[in-house]
Amino acid sequence: MAEFVYIDETGSVGSGHKQPLLFLAAVVVPEERVRDLADSLYKLTFKHLGWVPDRFEWHAHELWHASGPWAGKSPSELLAAYEDVIALLAKLDIWVLHSAINKAGLHKKYAGQFDKNAYLLALQFLLQKLEGYSTGALRVVIADEAKEQQLRAVGMLRDMQKWGMGEVPGIKVNN
């Protein structure tokens, strides 16, 4: 069986320090749970919104700020939606891992030389962490990354699979 690894970032990807931290999170979904996850998210969306907006995605930012389709919801309604989504992790045997880059610290330590590499560094560290939790399953990585990083990320993953070399020396990724 395969595992699907959905990756997304929070915090600005660029070199600006308005958001000094860049987090990448990965949600690892066993192949046999992908349909259950999609169905469960659809049902939860309908439960909490009463409808499913076109091209709807669960965004914590919108929930937290009661914006977008969540506008007008009370804090208790928003919290209930959060709790229901988080409960899916245990129910469907889904696990989460993350990596983080302190962009302000990276900028300071290297005098701005690696500011544009923050996303790729976080991705490399996340993939290496994922490799450390090998289940033996083949993994399919689906990244909702910054478009300007897409080709560089694909090339870096190829290099990590061949030589274990990413933005910085690391480990070989086999799965």
Side-chain angles (χ1 to χ4, degrees):
M1 288 300 224
E3 293 174 332
F4 290 85
V5 182
Y6 299 95
I7 299 175
D8 204 354
E9 81 280 341
T10 184
S12 60
V13 174
S15 59
H17 300 295
K18 194 173 201 178
Q19 294 175 312
L21 299 177
L22 170 65
F23 286 93
L24 285 185
V27 178
V28 182
V29 183
E31 179 180 4
E32 65 272 14
R33 296 288 187 223
V34 170
R35 174 54 47 202
D36 294 337
L37 176 61
D39 291 345
S40 296
L41 287 171
Y42 180 87
K43 288 174 186 172
L44 288 180
T45 304
F46 200 83
K47 173 184 174 182
H48 291 285
L49 292 177
W51 63 300
V52 179
D54 188 38
R55 298 179 187 249
F56 177 78
E57 290 184 38
W58 282 81
H59 286 285
H61 185 269
E62 289 179 341
L63 264 169
W64 187 256
H65 294 285
S67 63
W70 302 100
K73 297 286 184 185
S74 71
S76 61
E77 290 173 311
L78 298 171
L79 183 58
Y82 265 113
E83 289 173 342
D84 280 351
V85 169
I86 291 170
L88 289 178
L89 298 174
K91 177 182 175 189
L92 299 177
D93 193 28
I94 294 170
W95 48 285
V96 178
L97 62 153
H98 77 282
S99 66
I101 298 292
N102 179 327
K103 295 187 313 176
L106 181 69
H107 178 81
K108 183 177 178 181
K109 184 172 184 176
Y110 297 103
Q113 183 178 0
F114 297 108
D115 285 0
K116 292 184 179 183
N117 298 55
Y119 178 86
L120 291 175
L121 286 166
L123 179 61
Q124 179 182 345
F125 300 154
L126 183 65
L127 293 172
Q128 289 177 171
K129 188 183 284 188
L130 181 63
E131 186 69 20
Y133 291 102
S134 178
T135 61
L138 177 66
R139 292 185 171 136
V140 179
V141 176
I142 302 155
D144 185 17
E145 80 295 317
K147 298 299 180 213
E148 67 271 10
Q149 301 290 349
Q150 187 173 14
L151 290 177
R152 291 180 61 204
V154 169
M156 183 186 74
L157 179 55
R158 181 189 58 241
D159 291 344
M160 289 175 71
Q161 289 172 326
K162 284 185 177 181
W163 303 294
M165 185 66 177
E167 288 297 293
V168 296
I171 65 169
K172 191 173 180 183
V173 173
N174 295 306
N175 294 313

